[in-house]
Amino acid sequence: MARQIQFAQTGGPEVLEVADVTPRDPGPGEIRIANRAVGLNFIDIYIRSGLYPANLPSGLGTEGAGVVDAVGDGVDDFAEGDRVAYAQGPLGAYADFITMDAEKAIALPEAIDFETAAGGMLKGLTVQYLIRQTYAIGEGDTILFHAAAGGVGSIACQWAHALGAHVIGTVSNEDKASIAQRNGAWMTIDYTRESVPERVLELTDGAGVPVVYDSVGKDTWSDSLACLSKRGLMVSFGNASGPVEGVNLVELNKGGSLFVTRPSLGGYADTRERFEMMCDDFFAVLESGEVKINIGQRFGLEEAGKAQEALANRETTGSTILTL
């Protein structure tokens, strides 16, 4: 028997329960992974709350790292004992074991430990498509990144800095400002005390920024648009404050022929070839030391609800993981 976090109805953290389950044997093309660490992400909260639908009862979590425990027929790329990581597994990563399509796993370099992989895979691949594909930032670019001290933001500040960009990061207090600055942010804006658009325009001599990366959603939508330069790109990639609704295209015209995109990891890592390319890019900056994964919080598997509550209340910094 093994432990798995499950929920039979949507709601708050209290709906999460620890269940004893029998790990499923891998079928053709599948592997079973003995998790060593599991990553927490806002999408897990969206699924638990019902914002993103799931077939109930359901497991939770899609990201982790561990050791291959069993291999199904037709799997040639992995063997028992291999170190692996994954970011797009089936719901059920909050568990001692997970069985999944081998195509969704990636071999983990020896230089990268399990906690780093579990705390960084989904966030790191998210940053990869955001700053390397959705809008390929370069030397001298000035960008705005919301929640700059969070898990995704911490990686983005480091990686963008390594690429020569100037990151303006939004934060909620001085401690988070210090974290963002240590990670390479050029400037920070405390959105609880300052007007983000006004400060961005001050920092850019009235020009605005060519791209805004916004994982907050509803609460920051209008301010984010107001920070863009003409023909700027609004990258809305999360709903921490709720989904953006009632988008008025006239606003984009008035703002200066603005562009908007709502990307996702699944939309970019949609083939094995692209997934491997993105992992190679992310692993390279980890191994070079240009990007470090800050594990700000560790919780036991049974504390999954408590961990999600801290994440939802913006009480966390860096990445949050469940340890097994």
Side-chain angles (χ1 to χ4, degrees), residues 93-107:
Y94 290 16
D96 291 319
F97 295 87
I98 184 170
T99 302
M100 59 189 295
D101 188 335
E103 290 291 302
K104 295 295 185 181
I106 193 79

Side-chain angles (χ1 to χ4, degrees), residues 3-5 35 38 58-63 86 89-99:
R3 300 168 300 163
Q4 182 179 48
I5 300 297
N35 284 323
V38 173
S58 176
L60 197 59
T62 62
E63 173 188 42
Y86 57 95
L91 289 179
Y94 290 16
D96 291 319
F97 295 87
I98 184 170
T99 302

